[in-house]
Amino acid sequence: MPRANSGSDVRWAQRWRARWDRQQERYLPDREERFDAILDVLEHAVAVDRRRRHHNADHPFRFLDLGGGTGALSERILRRFPHSRAVAVDFDPVLMRLGRTALPQFASRLAWVEVDLRNRDWTSKLPPGRFDAAVSTTALHWLTTAELARVYRAVAGRIRPRGVLVNGDGLRYGREAPFLGRWAQDHRTLDHAHARDRGEEWSAWWAAVVKDPRLAREAALRATRVPRHHERTPPVDLPTHRRLLARAGFREVDVAWSHWENRVLVAVR
């Protein structure tokens, strides 16, 4: 059985998580709005299902966090839904170490599974049973179109009927919207220029991680797992996400919230 983290371990991980959040907000100043939109979707999805099944507010709600990272999204959902339980999956040992260590108050409700979503059999590592929802934020853009298609099919097989997949990410316009696509590109360029004044860069955060001896093992392992910068993966546009989700078996797919191409996409199983 793993040793419980000390108070100093928890505070150390919480400082790194807070620094991660500030770094993420440099690129996503409306990050909390996106979180709120995801939680609002789950609020409605859970409420509708409880009425349909005649369950009360204390009925357990189980969700899968895809690319859970430091647990930022899982933490917010667990706080919003006191009777919820989460399974967070990720393949980044640094972010998972920080999440596991910083959130001892959710130890009985939050399970961590270290798995690569690019592997075809990744769902075999999950606990048995179906989920009420799958969620993700700023994570699935790492995947190619073929990998994303497999992930959506796999997730569809683990969500109960009328369950939901909620994905918050940068989902670009497709070829059918050339003007909007160019305007969104102009917005991104302007926003990135303003980001220089909003704190630490992504690369600077990771450079600092490498210098922390308490993360040496995880940083070395990460270097073998992420040999290239994820921005080299061509982004999958919004129409392709819709098409892949429909092919995977989701009956309804639509955008629930957006700020230009920063969107929350919802798919109903």
Side-chain angles (χ1 to χ4, degrees):
M1 185 173 182
R3 180 179 63 85
N5 295 308
S6 67
S8 63
D9 291 334
V10 173
R11 290 189 294 273
W12 161 80
Q14 288 174 342
R15 287 193 295 270
W16 270 115
R17 283 180 88 241
R19 186 170 169 180
W20 170 264
D21 287 344
R22 291 192 298 272
Q23 172 262 127
Q24 289 287 287
E25 288 165 2
R26 168 190 172 97
Y27 303 99
L28 286 172
D30 50 2
R31 184 170 180 250
E32 288 300 328
E33 291 182 43
R34 183 203 278 177
F35 280 138
D36 288 342
I38 293 172
L39 268 62
D40 287 346
V41 168
L42 294 177
E43 183 88 56
H44 289 294
V46 171
V48 167
D49 182 66
R50 284 171 177 164
R51 287 197 298 269
R52 185 179 66 83
R53 295 202 262 179
H54 306 290
H55 288 151
N56 61 31
D58 295 339
H59 186 70
F61 166 64
R62 188 173 185 238
F63 67 93
L64 176 66
D65 189 351
L66 303 168
T70 66
L73 179 55
S74 282
E75 178 185 9
R76 286 163 173 78
I77 297 173
L78 292 168
R79 291 187 187 280
R80 178 87 162 255
F81 301 94
H83 298 281
S84 62
R85 293 180 177 273
V87 176
V89 302
D90 208 296
F91 200 50
D92 190 313
V94 171
L95 300 184
M96 292 189 75
R97 164 84 184 280
L98 297 177
R100 280 190 176 111
T101 307
L103 299 170
Q105 70 272 39
F106 296 117
S108 64
R109 299 169 56 203
L110 174 57
W112 297 86
V113 178
E114 191 167 338
V115 66
D116 188 347
L117 292 176
R118 295 170 297 183
N119 289 344
R120 294 176 182 272
D121 65 343
W122 66 272
T123 57
S124 66
K125 305 286 183 65
L126 299 179
R130 290 198 172 192
F131 295 88
D132 297 287
V135 298
S136 186
T137 183
T138 321
L140 300 185
H141 61 268
W142 282 72
L143 301 175
T144 65
T145 301
E147 291 165 348
L148 188 63
R150 290 197 297 269
V151 167
Y152 281 160
R153 288 196 300 269
V155 171
R158 296 300 299 267
I159 295 180
R160 62 163 175 78
R162 294 187 177 84
V164 294
L165 183 152
V166 190
N167 179 23
D169 212 336
L171 306 178
R172 298 189 178 183
Y173 291 104
R175 295 178 180 177
E176 82 294 343
F179 290 105
L180 289 173
R182 286 197 293 272
W183 297 342
Q185 175 61 55
D186 291 342
H187 173 75
R188 284 198 304 274
T189 300
L190 184 61
D191 191 55
H192 288 168
H194 291 161
R196 299 190 187 101
D197 302 322
R198 293 202 294 253
E200 187 174 37
E201 292 184 341
W202 188 87
S203 57
W205 190 90
W206 284 107
V209 161
V210 173
K211 296 177 182 177
D212 188 334
R214 296 171 78 169
L215 288 168
R217 186 183 69 83
E218 288 82 6
L221 180 58
R222 183 181 190 275
T224 68
R225 292 181 175 179
V226 189
R228 59 187 176 84
H229 197 287
H230 72 87
E231 288 184 356
R232 295 179 186 174
T233 302
V236 178
D237 62 30
L238 176 61
T240 302
H241 276 271
R242 289 180 183 273
R243 185 170 63 254
L244 296 180
L245 285 163
R247 288 178 179 173
F250 289 90
R251 67 177 75 189
E252 293 182 24
V253 182
D254 210 343
V255 173
W257 175 92
S258 67
H259 180 202
W260 285 104
E261 292 174 322
N262 177 14
R263 313 179 201 257
V264 171
L265 186 64
V266 181
V268 181
R269 182 75 175 89

